Amino acid sequence: NDFHQTMTATADSNGKFTLQDVAEGTSNLAVSANGYLADEKAIVVSGPVAAGTIADVFLSPVLPTGNFRVVLTWGRAPADLDLYDFNQSNCKTYFNNRACPGTKLDIDQRAGYGPETITYQPNTGAHTVVVKRYSSGDLCTSGAKLDLYSATGHQFAIELDAEACAQSGTNLSWNAFAFDTASGTVTVNNSFSN
């Protein structure tokens, strides 16, 4: 006998919300706001949930048709991970070169959690998405996650595989995936290097 309960809350100006008496177990958290793409995720509730943990959701502003956005989020440590994009001409979009033809680094977050975002204009070809550890700490235990959005919403997600990262013996760079802005095709790389 399945029990389904729907609860709603309105976030304050800082994006914080409170839900009372949420049953323990797996819950589906759906979030929406005007001007942003709605998102949802499953969370496992086993007691009170603090801000900065499993119920955090980063909403992506609505995108024009044909555009894409990659969003990087991670845990408290390392404080600074950096999102990189390499296009087919090997132009590198990152904190020190915030734009290449058709790509733009929107946010460079340097105090943990993210998000860092890169936005892509339509039909700019093939791109490789990489995450690099900038500050001290362990990339393998960062909890890094990448989400790919289009104008129609969430398209793809990949989480850093901590075990594969540790087994690789490297701790600096995660070559996560490649995608094509014309077709939307994603190819998972999921490799690690120094």
Side-chain angles (χ1 to χ4, degrees), residues 79-151:
D80 193 6
L81 295 183
D82 287 315
L83 181 59
Y84 284 69
D85 173 80
F86 296 87
N87 71 15
Q88 58 199 11
S89 301
N90 210 30
C91 185
K92 179 170 50 174
T93 302
Y94 70 116
F95 69 90
N96 216 21
N97 183 42
R98 296 179 74 94
C100 285
T103 62
K104 177 181 172 249
L105 177 68
D106 307 301
I107 301 171
D108 177 28
Q109 178 59 261
R110 293 174 277 169
Y113 300 105
E116 290 207 1
T117 70
I118 293 178
T119 300
Y120 302 81
Q121 293 177 348
N123 300 315
T124 56
H127 296 268
T128 300
V129 178
V130 174
V131 175
K132 294 190 178 189
R133 177 181 53 83
Y134 186 80
S135 61
S136 63
D138 189 353
L139 174 66
C140 298
T141 59
S142 66
K145 179 183 177 197
L146 291 162
D147 291 282
L148 176 65
Y149 295 90
S150 73

Side-chain angles (χ1 to χ4, degrees), residues 3-131:
F3 173 72
H4 298 280
Q5 179 181 20
T6 300
M7 305 172 91
T8 60
T10 301
D12 66 17
S13 61
N14 294 316
K16 292 184 181 179
F17 63 92
T18 301
L19 292 171
Q20 299 291 332
D21 302 321
V22 177
E24 289 192 356
T26 301
S27 293
N28 190 47
L29 178 63
V31 182
S32 63
N34 288 335
Y36 291 84
L37 297 168
D39 202 4
E40 62 181 71
K41 69 178 184 177
I43 61 171
V44 178
V45 177
S46 60
V49 177
T53 62
I54 61 171
D56 281 13
V57 177
F58 297 99
L59 294 181
S60 181
V62 171
L63 292 163
T65 300
N67 285 24
F68 288 89
R69 180 173 294 121
V70 171
V71 178
L72 165 65
T73 55
W74 67 97
R76 184 171 46 88
D80 193 6
L81 295 183
D82 287 315
L83 181 59
Y84 284 69
D85 173 80
F86 296 87
N87 71 15
Q88 58 199 11
S89 301
N90 210 30
C91 185
K92 179 170 50 174
T93 302
Y94 70 116
F95 69 90
N96 216 21
N97 183 42
R98 296 179 74 94
C100 285
T103 62
K104 177 181 172 249
L105 177 68
D106 307 301
I107 301 171
D108 177 28
Q109 178 59 261
R110 293 174 277 169
Y113 300 105
E116 290 207 1
T117 70
I118 293 178
T119 300
Y120 302 81
Q121 293 177 348
N123 300 315
T124 56
H127 296 268
T128 300
V129 178
V130 174
V131 175

Side-chain angles (χ1 to χ4, degrees), residues 153-174:
H154 192 261
Q155 301 297 311
F156 173 76
I158 186 171
E159 294 184 22
L160 183 142
D161 183 334
E163 186 176 324
C165 181
Q167 289 175 354
S168 74
T170 62
N171 188 333
L172 184 61
S173 183
W174 173 33

